[in-house]
Amino acid sequence: MTNIDWKDKKNLSMLADFYEFTMANGYLECGMKDRIAYFDMFFRDIPDDGGFAIMAGVEQLIEYLKNLRFDEDDIEYFKSKGIFSEDFLEYLKNFKFECDVWAIPEGTPIFPQEPIVTVRGPIIQAQIIETMVLLTINHQSLIATKANRIVRAANGRAVMEFGSRRAQGYEGAILGARAAYIGGCVGTACTIVDRDFDVPALGTMAHSWIQVFPSELDAFKAYARLYPDNCVLLVDTYNVLKSGIPNAIKTFNEELIPKGFRPKGVRIDSGDIAYLSKKARKMLDEAGFEDCSIVASNALDEYVIRDLLNQGAKIDSFGVGERLITAKSEPVFGGVYKLAAIEENGQIVPKIKVSENVEKITVPGFKQVQRLYDKKTGKAIADVVTLHDEEIDNSKPYEIFHPLYTWKRKTVTNFYSRKLLVQIFDKGEPVYTNPNINEVKSYCSEQIDSLWEEVTRLESPHNYFVDLSKPLWTIKHNLLEEHK
Amino acid sequence: MTNIDWKDKKNLSMLADFYEFTMANGYLECGMKDRIAYFDMFFRDIPDDGGFAIMAGVEQLIEYLKNLRFDEDDIEYFKSKGIFSEDFLEYLKNFKFECDVWAIPEGTPIFPQEPIVTVRGPIIQAQIIETMVLLTINHQSLIATKANRIVRAANGRAVMEFGSRRAQGYEGAILGARAAYIGGCVGTACTIVDRDFDVPALGTMAHSWIQVFPSELDAFKAYARLYPDNCVLLVDTYNVLKSGIPNAIKTFNEELIPKGFRPKGVRIDSGDIAYLSKKARKMLDEAGFEDCSIVASNALDEYVIRDLLNQGAKIDSFGVGERLITAKSEPVFGGVYKLAAIEENGQIVPKIKVSENVEKITVPGFKQVQRLYDKKTGKAIADVVTLHDEEIDNSKPYEIFHPLYTWKRKTVTNFYSRKLLVQIFDKGEPVYTNPNINEVKSYCSEQIDSLWEEVTRLESPHNYFVDLSKPLWTIKHNLLEEHK
């Protein structure tokens, strides 16, 4: 068995938990091949106790679903297990994706307990895709959410994604950089992401560049001669203030200025960045290089960046590596995929999963998520999870109420509503046009602007309301009564 | 630009930080095309303050290096940037990997400050591969190390890798599961890893299986009829003790026993697992199913597992998901790649990177790592980083000493030594035969057995010694004096 086969394949259909297939085989054997089921992906907690998360990964989910198929070697593999029926192997061989799928578009702020992906279709198919739906959306939403936290801490300064070498696997680096860009980073250090995803790649030099030249000054000058219009020098190989900055200034004066170029920046990758950046700024300014940026890197995240800026660090942009690309402070986005309904004789029968932990009780039924915005401010007021075809009449006051503490009520007036789940597959056919990555990035930024700043605070943010519509609440309530 | 191109490619040559290419172009332009450099990958800290890490990812590193090349579209991409010389584009077009590479074999316990990969070759090439060397080894070593911590906590009970849905990207799931198997897991939930990497896939049913049947008992019975010889039932959908276990027992008695099968197990995925497992064990035993295993899952890691077992939980095996596949408690393996030497007129000139932080000072020169074992116990005594061709005379007492606190000395007698770095590429040609994954797994387990248990303790382990040989220490010492 060769170990790189899987990289040659366009589809990741076999990237699924084995139990998806034992269950799928079971559904077939139990005569449930045509049983229509509804599954929702949703999450319960926002990473880092933040006020919102960011949806990402829809484009890759669509690619996966478009390519979903089982090849001869997949069938052979299942056959070799000796537990799958001939009918099931035949089913896989002729597999054609038939589900309807809805997803919240990439870049949208999302909140716990609301469906962010809904799948309707034959239960065999809706079951088999569980692992990849979760894996794809969990990963990119995690990184987009983390990146945006870091970008907010940087308070208008540029944040670059620098983490490939510490990512968890190749797509950890590649799709992680894509998600970081959606979340607000200005670029990545990773070349392949620039080539294939139109995320600008940035970067200058490593310490090794400095070390192979006879001196730091020689290394700087060689670089400045090569890249005069994009000259960012790494100044901490020997000593930032005694050697790096003085040599950088000398290089700027001798190699750039005579040729009509201005320096782009210096990068500090070690030491106390608050102290060093202030001293470096002063030295650069006194040498007439007020326009030379100071880039900081080395074990940064939103907490370190906030503290550096609070201490008056003179940093113009940040390169953020391992703590962004792995979402180190909380490296798991806990999306789950739960059965919400089945169809019986063409009727939707809502299903609930009860639990002693009230947070873990699922919301039954075929649903839509609607975001209510204040007409005057444009700010998002609340999300309401409704039945799929339920219309909210924007011309009348609308009462929202807490799904558990139902006495907590609020009447919303002068608002408009927007349905968040959009259809991406119709009976197995892709029906959604992915916006390009820069459109997603701008949309993300606009949508975050529509949140009250109480919700975007890094720590102890205000809890944004996600309520159930009255009809949906009634269904849930009745099912809970039945299960008592 | 299509976004899935990169998945069709066998090579990940463009998965490199952009600065690798600006530097490479610079080396060429500065006439350093044929300059031979030595780079070491090493790490500084063991994740989770453990006593050792486990090397993994060498097989994938070899695949990457074997496929390293730049295609027409890569060259076009670089051309479009407008900063690379024609000579460099020509160099990339005709790129042929020419480096010598050494690596510590997969499954070997590894320690901070020792080279785990060494690359010797034209500096352009040794520089370009930096990102992928680090990414590949960092990721799998992280997961193998974490998996082994969890396996040690489980104290002989089976640990299964269940984390695909929460992994950081597709190879996060796939290669993570591979690394987890090397680190001691008995299998994975992920199908593709079984098919392509010979890691056994395991799994039974999700809550959705239970929910689509009219009752839990119906769902159990259907499953038992389908998979009578591998019947593991998920018992927590409604209520473990009042419903799940009684229905499981009824299913075993009615569907398995009459047909001559024994049950395989029950799985508990929520609630207080210590309490529930003890009660469930008692119920199963009283029903005559002492041989029915109890499998626990749900937010487990080495700390939770240790505590559950300390409280006498009756668990036979563990399914561990997100906290393993992301190494949640410390999701970064901080390997770095540093210049150690260059050649000048055929002579090796050691290079050092100084730092105010003594831990960050690099070990210069072309090196080997030698592990000393006690002849009587077979236990590893210490690692000695030596010059590459230095021989340790095992017939004579050997004095090791702390590289910083040189007065700390110890004389080792009655020992044998083993060189850890093995050559995997010779002038660009692969020269290493990868052992199969089960060989790697067994070797890993044996090698961990060669460590004193003081080193394998989960918390506050003994610090294993990694010393420098006298000749190497002298080189480092002299270079530090020079840089004063």
Side-chain angles (χ1 to χ4, degrees):
Chain A
M1 231 174 261
T2 147
N3 290 345
I4 56 153
D5 266 349
W6 62 273
K7 284 216 71 62
D8 300 335
K9 288 184 179 289
K10 267 203 205 125
N11 80 88
L12 289 161
S13 310
M14 297 293 277
L15 209 181
D17 285 341
F18 194 73
Y19 77 3
E20 316 288 10
F21 296 109
T22 51
M23 283 190 283
N25 177 62
Y27 294 137
L28 189 86
E29 291 300 292
C30 293
M32 291 192 217
K33 187 169 89 63
D34 299 317
R35 170 61 57 91
I36 298 296
Y38 295 75
F39 282 85
D40 292 326
M41 174 178 182
F42 62 93
F43 66 106
R44 298 192 183 106
D45 298 296
I46 300 167
D48 292 309
D49 294 321
F52 65 97
I54 294 171
M55 183 73 173
V58 175
E59 185 168 327
Q60 283 64 44
L61 177 60
I62 292 171
E63 285 303 321
Y64 156 72
L65 293 172
K66 276 161 75 173
N67 288 297
L68 194 59
R69 62 162 191 273
F70 297 91
D71 299 333
E72 206 49 59
D73 55 342
D74 303 330
I75 310 292
E76 276 311 306
Y77 165 81
F78 286 119
K79 204 170 201 168
S80 75
K81 293 280 141 181
I83 57 170
F84 296 99
S85 71
E86 277 303 320
D87 284 351
F88 182 65
L89 298 180
E90 199 59 29
Y91 178 85
L92 288 186
K93 200 182 278 179
N94 303 316
F95 188 93
K96 207 201 142 295
F97 187 56
E98 295 165 27
C99 295
D100 299 311
V101 185
W102 294 261
I104 292 183
E106 296 195 271
T108 310
I110 49 175
F111 299 91
Q113 306 295 348
E114 60 192 22
I116 57 177
V117 177
T118 292
V119 176
R120 173 199 176 276
I123 189 163
I124 298 182
Q125 302 198 354
Q127 188 76 63
I128 283 175
I129 67 176
E130 173 179 24
T131 309
M132 274 293 285
V133 170
L134 291 173
L135 169 50
T136 303
I137 302 295
N138 275 335
H139 170 230
Q140 289 199 52
S141 299
L142 175 75
I143 304 303
T145 303
K146 178 70 173 180
N148 190 260
R149 289 179 63 79
I150 295 171
V151 166
R152 277 178 282 149
N155 209 6
R157 291 162 190 84
V159 174
M160 292 166 286
E161 188 286 303
F162 270 15
S164 296
R165 61 189 58 192
R166 303 279 168 82
Q168 296 191 358
Y170 309 134
E171 282 107 352
I174 297 169
L175 299 179
R178 176 186 186 273
Y181 188 64
I182 291 174
C185 287
V186 299
T188 176
C190 187
T191 312
I192 199 170
V193 183
D194 185 11
R195 194 195 60 183
D196 295 348
F197 291 92
D198 286 333
V199 175
L202 308 154
T204 58
M205 65 181 67
H207 295 113
S208 52
W209 174 269
I210 313 293
Q211 287 177 280
V212 293
F213 284 84
S215 75
E216 188 180 52
L217 186 62
D218 290 322
F220 282 178
K221 287 189 159 197
Y223 197 86
R225 280 192 294 269
L226 281 161
Y227 305 112
D229 57 350
N230 190 23
C231 186
V232 181
L233 301 173
L234 179 63
V235 292
D236 71 336
T237 305
Y238 302 113
N239 185 306
V240 174
L241 302 179
K242 287 186 191 155
S243 160
I245 297 291
N247 280 332
I249 290 171
K250 204 167 159 57
T251 301
F252 298 155
N253 278 322
E254 295 177 9
E255 298 291 340
L256 298 185
I257 300 306
K259 295 171 196 156
F261 292 102
R262 298 293 304 171
K264 200 75 169 268
V266 294
R267 179 160 75 97
I268 306 174
D269 188 44
S270 61
D272 192 281
I273 288 170
Y275 172 80
L276 292 173
S277 68
K278 283 187 265 189
K279 291 281 182 189
R281 182 74 272 157
K282 199 151 171 281
M283 292 164 78
L284 290 165
D285 289 354
E286 283 170 7
F289 298 115
E290 293 88 353
D291 55 342
C292 174
S293 305
I294 297 179
V295 185
S297 48
N298 190 26
L300 300 176
D301 63 14
E302 65 269 43
Y303 308 105
V304 178
I305 288 175
R306 180 185 58 187
D307 275 7
L308 287 172
L309 295 178
N310 279 344
Q311 294 195 320
K314 297 292 184 190
I315 303 169
D316 302 289
S317 66
F318 297 94
V320 183
E322 61 193 45
R323 297 190 188 186
L324 165 54
I325 204 67
T326 67
K328 186 166 189 274
S329 53
E330 187 147 355
V332 172
F333 194 87
V336 296
Y337 185 82
K338 296 288 176 190
L339 185 75
I342 55 174
E343 283 182 16
E344 269 172 17
N345 308 316
Q347 293 292 310
I348 297 174
V349 183
K351 288 278 177 179
I352 196 164
K353 158 106 176 63
V354 292
S355 170
E356 294 191 11
N357 181 339
V358 288
E359 302 262 303
K360 285 201 165 186
I361 298 174
T362 60
V363 182
F366 178 34
K367 303 179 289 292
Q368 177 56 277
V369 183
Q370 311 203 34
R371 185 157 294 168
L372 312 188
Y373 296 87
D374 186 288
K375 262 191 187 162
K376 214 165 104 194
T377 61
K379 295 290 184 188
I381 304 164
D383 285 5
V384 184
V385 185
T386 65
L387 292 174
H388 190 77
D389 294 324
E390 200 177 325
E391 296 296 334
I392 294 180
D393 183 348
N394 294 353
S395 68
K396 292 184 185 149
Y398 186 79
E399 188 179 48
I400 57 176
F401 61 96
H402 193 286
L404 296 175
Y405 315 119
T406 51
W407 64 92
K408 289 194 182 181
R409 284 159 190 259
K410 184 180 173 180
T411 300
V412 181
T413 53
N414 199 31
F415 69 99
Y416 60 95
S417 62
R418 187 166 77 95
K419 292 180 177 173
L420 297 187
L421 283 166
V422 302
Q423 191 159 14
I424 58 174
F425 281 83
D426 181 6
K427 296 190 183 58
E429 292 302 318
V431 293
Y432 179 71
T433 307
N434 291 304
N436 76 44
I437 188 113
N438 288 305
E439 289 165 352
V440 174
K441 186 183 172 68
S442 309
Y443 164 76
C444 180
S445 164
E446 285 159 27
Q447 288 298 307
I448 293 169
D449 284 345
S450 80
L451 301 176
W452 290 102
E453 65 178 18
E454 288 77 2
V455 173
T456 63
R457 194 162 49 219
L458 284 181
E459 306 216 42
S460 300
H462 179 72
N463 207 356
Y464 181 86
F465 293 111
V466 177
D467 296 333
L468 302 187
S469 71
K470 191 87 201 290
L472 186 58
W473 183 88
T474 307
I475 288 171
K476 179 173 178 178
H477 187 75
N478 291 345
L479 274 172
L480 279 175
E481 288 290 319
E482 269 178 39
H483 274 82
K484 251 196 217 164
Chain B
M1 230 175 262
T2 147
N3 290 344
I4 56 153
D5 266 349
W6 63 273
K7 285 216 71 60
D8 299 334
K9 288 184 180 285
K10 263 200 206 130
N11 81 88
L12 289 161
S13 309
M14 297 292 278
L15 210 181
D17 285 340
F18 193 72
Y19 78 2
E20 317 287 10
F21 296 108
T22 50
M23 284 190 283
N25 177 62
Y27 294 136
L28 189 86
E29 291 300 292
C30 294
M32 291 192 217
K33 188 170 86 68
D34 299 317
R35 169 62 56 92
I36 299 296
Y38 295 75
F39 281 85
D40 291 326
M41 174 178 181
F42 63 92
F43 66 106
R44 299 194 183 104
D45 298 297
I46 300 167
D48 292 311
D49 294 320
F52 65 98
I54 294 171
M55 183 73 174
V58 176
E59 185 168 327
Q60 283 65 44
L61 177 61
I62 292 171
E63 285 303 322
Y64 155 72
L65 293 172
K66 276 162 74 173
N67 288 298
L68 193 59
R69 64 163 190 273
F70 296 92
D71 299 332
E72 206 47 60
D73 54 343
D74 302 330
I75 309 292
E76 277 309 308
Y77 164 80
F78 285 120
K79 205 171 201 166
S80 75
K81 293 282 141 180
I83 58 170
F84 296 100
S85 71
E86 276 303 321
D87 284 353
F88 182 65
L89 298 180
E90 200 58 29
Y91 178 86
L92 288 185
K93 201 184 275 181
N94 302 316
F95 188 93
K96 206 198 143 297
F97 187 55
E98 294 164 25
C99 295
D100 299 311
V101 185
W102 294 261
I104 293 183
E106 296 195 270
T108 310
I110 50 176
F111 299 91
Q113 307 294 349
E114 60 192 22
I116 57 178
V117 177
T118 291
V119 177
R120 174 200 175 277
I123 188 164
I124 297 182
Q125 302 199 354
Q127 187 76 64
I128 283 175
I129 66 176
E130 172 178 22
T131 309
M132 273 293 286
V133 170
L134 291 173
L135 169 50
T136 303
I137 303 295
N138 275 336
H139 170 229
Q140 288 200 51
S141 299
L142 175 75
I143 304 302
T145 303
K146 178 68 174 181
N148 189 261
R149 289 179 63 80
I150 295 171
V151 166
R152 277 178 282 150
N155 209 5
R157 293 163 189 83
V159 174
M160 292 166 287
E161 187 287 303
F162 269 17
S164 296
R165 61 189 59 191
R166 304 277 169 84
Q168 295 191 359
Y170 310 133
E171 282 107 353
I174 297 168
L175 298 178
R178 175 185 186 273
Y181 188 64
I182 291 174
C185 287
V186 300
T188 176
C190 186
T191 312
I192 199 170
V193 183
D194 185 10
R195 193 195 60 182
D196 295 346
F197 292 91
D198 287 333
V199 174
L202 309 154
T204 58
M205 64 181 67
H207 294 112
S208 52
W209 175 268
I210 312 293
Q211 288 176 280
V212 293
F213 285 85
S215 75
E216 187 179 53
L217 186 62
D218 290 320
F220 284 178
K221 287 189 157 194
Y223 197 86
R225 280 192 293 268
L226 281 161
Y227 306 111
D229 58 350
N230 190 24
C231 186
V232 181
L233 301 173
L234 178 63
V235 292
D236 71 337
T237 306
Y238 302 113
N239 184 305
V240 174
L241 301 178
K242 287 188 190 153
S243 160
I245 297 291
N247 281 331
I249 289 171
K250 202 166 162 53
T251 301
F252 298 155
N253 279 322
E254 295 177 10
E255 298 291 339
L256 298 185
I257 301 305
K259 295 172 196 156
F261 292 101
R262 299 291 303 173
K264 200 74 168 270
V266 294
R267 179 160 76 96
I268 306 174
D269 188 45
S270 60
D272 191 280
I273 288 170
Y275 171 81
L276 293 173
S277 69
K278 283 187 264 189
K279 291 281 182 184
R281 180 75 274 156
K282 196 150 172 280
M283 292 164 78
L284 289 166
D285 289 354
E286 284 171 5
F289 298 115
E290 293 89 350
D291 55 342
C292 174
S293 305
I294 298 179
V295 185
S297 48
N298 190 27
L300 300 175
D301 63 15
E302 66 269 43
Y303 308 105
V304 178
I305 288 175
R306 181 185 58 185
D307 274 7
L308 287 172
L309 295 178
N310 279 345
Q311 293 196 321
K314 298 292 184 191
I315 302 169
D316 301 289
S317 66
F318 297 94
V320 183
E322 61 193 44
R323 297 190 187 186
L324 166 53
I325 205 67
T326 66
K328 186 166 189 277
S329 53
E330 188 148 354
V332 172
F333 194 86
V336 296
Y337 185 81
K338 296 287 176 191
L339 184 75
I342 55 174
E343 283 182 16
E344 270 172 15
N345 309 316
Q347 294 292 310
I348 298 175
V349 182
K351 288 279 177 178
I352 196 165
K353 157 108 177 62
V354 294
S355 170
E356 294 190 12
N357 181 339
V358 288
E359 302 262 304
K360 284 201 165 186
I361 297 174
T362 60
V363 181
F366 178 34
K367 302 178 291 291
Q368 177 56 276
V369 183
Q370 310 204 35
R371 185 157 294 170
L372 311 187
Y373 296 87
D374 185 289
K375 263 192 185 162
K376 214 165 106 194
T377 60
K379 295 289 184 188
I381 304 164
D383 285 3
V384 184
V385 185
T386 65
L387 292 176
H388 190 75
D389 294 324
E390 199 177 326
E391 294 297 333
I392 293 180
D393 183 349
N394 293 353
S395 70
K396 292 185 185 147
Y398 186 78
E399 188 179 49
I400 57 177
F401 61 96
H402 193 287
L404 295 176
Y405 316 119
T406 51
W407 63 92
K408 288 195 181 179
R409 284 159 190 260
K410 184 180 176 181
T411 299
V412 181
T413 54
N414 198 31
F415 70 98
Y416 61 95
S417 62
R418 187 165 79 94
K419 292 180 177 173
L420 297 188
L421 283 167
V422 303
Q423 191 160 14
I424 58 173
F425 281 85
D426 182 5
K427 295 191 183 57
E429 291 302 318
V431 292
Y432 179 72
T433 307
N434 291 304
N436 77 44
I437 188 115
N438 287 305
E439 289 165 354
V440 174
K441 187 183 172 69
S442 308
Y443 164 77
C444 180
S445 163
E446 284 158 29
Q447 288 298 307
I448 292 169
D449 285 345
S450 81
L451 301 176
W452 291 103
E453 65 179 16
E454 287 77 3
V455 173
T456 64
R457 194 161 50 219
L458 284 181
E459 305 215 41
S460 299
H462 180 71
N463 208 356
Y464 182 85
F465 292 111
V466 177
D467 296 333
L468 303 187
S469 72
K470 191 84 198 291
L472 186 57
W473 183 87
T474 307
I475 288 172
K476 179 174 177 177
H477 187 75
N478 292 346
L479 275 174
L480 279 176
E481 287 291 318
E482 269 177 41
H483 275 82
K484 248 196 219 165

